[in-house]
Amino acid sequence: QVQLVESGGGLAQSGGSLRLTCTASRSILSFDAMNWYRQTPGKQREWVANITVNSHVEYADSAKGRFIISRDYVANEVYLLMNSLKPEDTGIYYCNAVRRRSDFGTSDYWGQGTQVTVSS
């Protein structure tokens, strides 16, 4: 059983910063990729950023230039540093881990989410 626990959410002012942490119950190198998603009010859950087991990173357009995803494989943690926050960044942020299976499918694991609120 894989557990992902997000932390670091809270209230920030527009232009401020927050760092989210995702702590995994097993080695994050056992996953092919770790992602951050967010659920903003009135919208579907959207992908924010990704880091692969090979350290390749990608960002959604909304996150490019402002957010940085990183990891500490010793601590089994993945981080999302969010800078220049905007009110539209408000939402619940979820950590996701993906592992490819031998049947070519994938196994997805999710955390419970952490609330981020950005005031204008």
Side-chain angles (χ1 to χ4, degrees):
Q1 186 75 10
V2 176
Q3 289 186 327
L4 302 173
V5 179
E6 300 96 336
S7 60
L11 179 64
Q13 290 188 335
S14 182
S17 299
L18 282 174
R19 189 179 84 153
L20 307 182
T21 299
C22 171
T23 303
S25 61
R26 61 190 279 185
S27 172
I28 59 174
L29 295 181
S30 67
F31 303 110
D32 293 281
M34 302 288 294
N35 297 280
W36 284 98
Y37 285 79
R38 68 185 181 189
Q39 179 89 50
T40 54
K43 294 185 179 180
Q44 291 187 331
R45 189 175 297 187
E46 63 175 345
W47 170 75
V48 175
N50 162 280
I51 183 165
T52 71
V53 67
N54 297 318
S55 300
H56 179 73
V57 299
E58 288 187 344
Y59 299 92
D61 288 344
S62 59
K64 284 179 183 175
R66 300 189 301 128
F67 294 2
I68 300 173
I69 188 170
S70 62
R71 69 183 180 193
D72 181 339
Y73 61 83
V74 174
N76 291 327
E77 293 183 337
V78 177
Y79 311 103
L80 185 68
L81 175 61
M82 304 186 294
N83 298 312
S84 302
L85 283 164
K86 305 174 182 179
E88 51 263 44
D89 294 318
T90 294
I92 302 173
Y93 284 71
Y94 297 92
C95 178
N96 163 263
V98 179
R99 185 175 62 84
R100 294 193 192 94
R101 301 195 307 262
S102 58
D103 63 357
F104 302 105
T106 60
S107 295
D108 275 74
Y109 306 94
W110 294 89
Q112 83 291 348
T114 185
Q115 175 71 46
V116 170
T117 302
V118 183
S119 63
S120 57

